[in-house]
Amino acid sequence: MASDRAARFQPTMETLCALLLGRIQVGLVRGNAGALRILAARLIRESLMAALRQEGHEFTEGRFFAWFAGLDTLSTGSEAILRPPKALCQAILTEFQHSPWPDFANASDHLLKAFLAPSDYSRGDDHEAAHTVIAEALALLSGLEAAEDALPFQPVARLLSAAAGSTRFAREERNLDLIGGRAVERERPGNSRWALDILAGRYLAPRHGLPLALPLPGLVVLPLGQTDEIEEELAISDASVPTTLHAVLARIDRWLEEAERDAETIRRQLQDRRSSGRAGQLAEYLAGFGPLRGYQIECLLGVSRTGVGVIAKALESSGLIVSQVSRNANRMYGYAALPSPPQADGAAGNAFAVSAEAMNEYEDSMRVIDELLDRFSEKRD
């Protein structure tokens, strides 16, 4: 009987989005403090990397951490038209310090102190230009017409439509560049829609489904090749918004799940240790943000070089971190994820068993979601 019900149920993309949003809501509201701190650091890293790539910078993840630590350039052969990466990331981290989510603002403040990337300012106004982009994103979001829906579909559609009609954030048309005395038509490699991504959570939280003002890297993806306003409105359709939103929510759901797992691992490994506060704090940053070198940790935690050694030794003995010497003789520390503890006898065999009560609860949840989606459709019509 239960299998017949499941076979008849064919979820729409809107339903899948609503399910993901519900999971994220529960995880954020009920999540422990350590998991939320790890998630905050992870979102900062993902937002910075997404913004750099949107601007046209090409780099590997390892190169990013070496650059953030001041040990290398971000990439080689970057085009002169690209925004300097340090100016861009400093502007983003400064904006993140003003987040209404305290864990996120605090993590941004600490990571800004540990941001040791080499100076790359080519012009005196690079930093101001990056802040100008963020200010324009704030103005666009504040100018959006208010939506009363608790679900985010209509608000996101309005955001995408506003971005598509903006001279700053719309897709650029192809430009003629003068290369070797010849006019060459090509598309500019980057865009500034990262500014809307990092602020979109403040627009959606808490009125439109997000309980916390999370940055949403990758949200503002615009359709290709618009020729007029009518096509532009059709391209940002009811079908495309849930698909775009689902991809973003799925990533956040995965990062939240990983943060919960890592927070439990850190708690378990350090629970019998004396004075593990700083050690736990460092482990959370390494698990969420990524590898850091010794001097970054001094700046991050406000401890001496000797203190870093003591904390690192405690974490290494617990199996939580590993260290290696980089090519320029600096030691980098990274989080070492441990396997989950073994399940009790019989737990594995019953992991996917579904009771009648669980199935009824599932169907009740589906009915509530369907009612919300029906109300959304009626308002839209």
Side-chain angles (χ1 to χ4, degrees), residues 32-49:
N32 64 65
L36 294 181
R37 289 192 294 266
I38 293 173
L39 177 65
R42 177 68 178 270
L43 285 168
I44 291 170
R45 181 239 293 186
E46 298 289 351
S47 296
L48 293 179
M49 293 177 68

Side-chain angles (χ1 to χ4, degrees), residues 192-251:
S192 299
R193 287 186 288 277
W194 53 264
L196 295 171
D197 290 344
I198 67 173
L199 297 169
R202 301 187 201 179
Y203 168 56
L204 297 177
R207 190 173 183 179
H208 303 304
L210 281 184
L212 294 174
L214 311 176
L216 301 173
L219 176 65
V220 185
V221 178
L222 299 180
L224 289 167
Q226 302 308 312
T227 57
D228 56 41
E229 293 182 0
I230 296 176
E231 288 188 8
E232 188 172 283
E233 290 296 329
L234 291 175
I236 303 173
S237 64
D238 295 337
S240 64
V241 170
T243 301
T244 300
L245 190 59
H246 182 271
V248 175
L249 294 178
R251 287 193 294 269

